[in-house]
Amino acid sequence: MHVLITGGCGFIGSHLTDHCLAAGWKVTALDDLSTGSLQNVVHLAGHPNFRLVAEGTTSAGVVDELAGSCDFIFHLAAVVGVRLVVNRSVHSIENNLQGTEIVLRAAAHHRKPVLITSTSEVYGKSVDLPYREDADLLIGPPTCARWSYACGKALDEFLALGYWREQKLPVIVVRLFNTVGPRQSGEYGMVIPNFIRQALAGQPITVFGSGRQRRCFGYVGDVVKAIKALSQTPAAFGEIVNIGGTSEISIAELAQLVKHAAGSAAAIEYIPYHDAYGPSFQDMHRRVPAVDKLKRLIGFCPETPLESILFETIDWMRAVQQEPARSGLRAAAHVA
Ligand code: UDP
C-alpha cells in the first residue's frame, strides 16, 4: 500500500504518516512546510518507506503526478487555526479551496480513492447537539472572518460528494473535532498548546470570553487510527463521518486542569473575545460530536482521557523547549 498524505508534516498529518508507516505502508508526504514543520517528521529521515515532497497542494502538476503513483490519497493539507483564518482570510480561503479542488481533480483523473478532511466548524453555531452528520449547518455572517473556514470546508464537502455521485469516485469526508496532542502548535490559536506553553512559562493562562464555552478534545493518536481505519472501510465511501472525543469540558475547567497537570503557579486571566480576535468575533458555546456512525463503521471512537493527553503533551513540550537548537539542526540536516 502506497499512500499520499497532503499536509503530511502537519500536526495530524505527521501522526497519520507515522501510523501508516508503522503498518508497513509506503508514505509520500506532500507539504509546503507553511503550518507544517520538518521537525514533525525529522525522526523519519532515511526511513526507506517515507518520502517528502516539499510543495503545496496548489501545484497542480505535482499533485497529479503523485496521485498517479499512489493507491490512496489522504487530503489533510489546509490553512488551519482560528487566529490564522481571521488574520489571513484571503490566503486561507484561496489556499483551502484551490488545494481541495486540485486534489479531487487529480484523484478523479487517476481514479484513486480519497479521504477529505473537513471540520466540526461547519456545524457553526448550531445548538442541536450532539452534532449529527446529516444535520443542518448554522454558519455565521461573512462579516465575521472566522466563518470563512467553515464555508470553505463545506464547499470542499459538496465538491467531494459531487465527484462521488457524478463520477463514482470513492471519496470519504471526515469532520475532525478538536484534535489535540504532541506536535500541535499554539501559533495559530489552538487552546491546549497555548495553555501549556503559558503554564510552563509561569505566564497567565489566557481564557477567552467567559470560559463557560465547552469543547470535547480527541487524542490525535486515536484520530489518525480512525482515519486510517475508515480508508479501509468500503461502507465509508460517499459518507460524511464525524471523528472526535465525546467527553465535554469548559475552557475555564481546562485552564485549571492544565495548570494542575503542569504543576504551575500561573494565574488564570480572562480576556474578552474582541481583545483576543478583534471586533465581530463569534464563538460557539458547545461542540459535541455524534459518533454512532463512526462506531458503526470502524467499531471505535477517540476515548483517551484528557488527563493522559495533557500529561503526554506537557512532556513533549518540555522536551522541545529543552532542545530547540538540536532539533533545529536535525531538521536542517533532513532537508539537505
Ligand atoms: N481559547 C482560549 N484561550 C486561548 C485559545 C483559545 O480561551 O489561548 C478558547 C477559544 O476561544 C475557544 C476554545 O478555547 O472557545 C477552543 O479554541 P481552539 O482555537 O483551540 O478551537 P475551536 O474550538 O475554537 O476551533
Side-chain angles (χ1 to χ4, degrees):
M1 186 79 172
H2 175 197
V3 296
L4 171 63
I5 303 182
T6 75
C9 300
F11 161 51
I12 303 176
S14 66
H15 282 280
L16 181 63
T17 295
D18 286 343
H19 190 55
C20 291
L21 289 171
W25 292 5
K26 203 173 148 192
V27 175
T28 297
L30 176 70
D31 201 303
D32 66 2
L33 303 172
S34 52
T35 51
S37 160
L38 273 182
Q39 281 189 24
N40 290 339
V41 293
V42 76
H43 58 286
L44 299 175
H47 193 297
N49 284 340
F50 177 69
R51 177 182 168 216
L52 168 62
V53 177
E55 285 274 358
T57 44
T58 51
S59 302
V62 175
V63 173
D64 186 72
E65 193 189 318
L66 296 177
S69 58
C70 72
D71 304 308
F72 193 98
I73 303 166
F74 293 102
H75 178 45
L76 280 80
V79 179
V80 291
V82 174
R83 190 172 297 287
L84 200 53
V85 166
V86 168
N87 291 344
R88 297 194 62 201
S89 299
V90 174
H91 169 69
S92 66
I93 294 168
E94 287 187 353
N95 192 81
N96 292 354
L97 287 177
Q98 284 170 11
T100 304
E101 204 179 315
I102 287 167
V103 167
L104 282 168
R105 198 175 300 144
H109 179 206
H110 296 285
R111 303 293 310 163
K112 297 297 167 68
V114 56
L115 179 145
I116 300 287
T117 47
S118 181
T119 168
S120 56
E121 279 273 315
V122 298
Y123 292 104
K125 298 185 282 185
S126 168
V127 289
D128 186 12
L129 292 156
Y131 292 152
R132 307 190 61 81
E133 290 88 344
D134 56 0
D136 289 344
L137 310 180
L138 188 63
I139 292 169
T143 43
C144 175
R146 155 180 213 147
W147 300 117
S148 63
Y149 181 63
C151 273
K153 285 288 188 177
L155 201 57
D156 288 353
E157 296 188 9
F158 280 116
L159 190 61
L161 295 177
Y163 272 106
W164 161 255
R165 277 192 306 273
E166 292 169 27
Q167 301 187 18
K168 303 282 169 284
L169 180 71
V171 300
I172 305 168
V173 173
V174 297
R175 289 182 180 157
L176 302 182
F177 282 65
N178 295 68
T179 304
V180 292
R183 299 184 197 158
Q184 185 172 35
S185 165
E187 227 176 301
Y188 313 110
M190 280 79 166
V191 66
I192 286 188
N194 274 303
F195 279 5
I196 295 178
R197 180 182 48 76
Q198 292 163 338
L200 292 181
Q203 291 166 353
I205 299 175
T206 53
V207 173
F208 299 159
S210 69
R212 286 198 297 271
Q213 69 272 36
R214 302 171 76 80
R215 295 291 187 273
C216 301
F217 293 97
Y219 176 54
V220 66
D222 297 339
V223 170
V224 298
K225 209 169 130 196
I227 290 176
K228 177 170 168 286
L230 282 169
S231 75
Q232 301 301 292
T233 305
F237 289 117
E239 297 288 338
I240 298 175
V241 189
N242 288 337
I243 303 181
T246 54
S247 174
E248 264 190 289
I249 184 168
S250 77
I251 300 302
E253 288 164 341
L254 177 69
Q256 290 289 356
L257 200 61
V258 169
K259 179 177 157 142
H260 182 71
S264 169
I268 295 177
E269 195 175 302
Y270 287 76
I271 312 247
Y273 282 123
H274 59 84
D275 287 351
Y277 291 120
S280 69
F281 180 78
Q282 297 182 347
D283 202 7
M284 63 287 296
H285 188 56
R286 286 177 70 197
R287 182 191 273 163
V288 183
V291 288
D292 4 341
K293 192 174 192 178
L294 180 65
K295 282 189 183 161
R296 179 165 49 74
L297 286 166
I298 61 168
F300 67 92
C301 70
E303 276 180 336
T304 301
L306 183 55
E307 284 82 352
S308 32
I309 306 174
L310 290 180
F311 283 129
E312 190 185 330
T313 311
I314 288 167
D315 285 349
W316 166 78
M317 206 175 277
R318 279 202 174 108
V320 168
Q321 286 177 349
Q322 273 162 17
E323 56 163 350
R326 267 182 64 194
S327 48
L329 275 179
R330 284 203 308 265
H334 185 54
V335 184

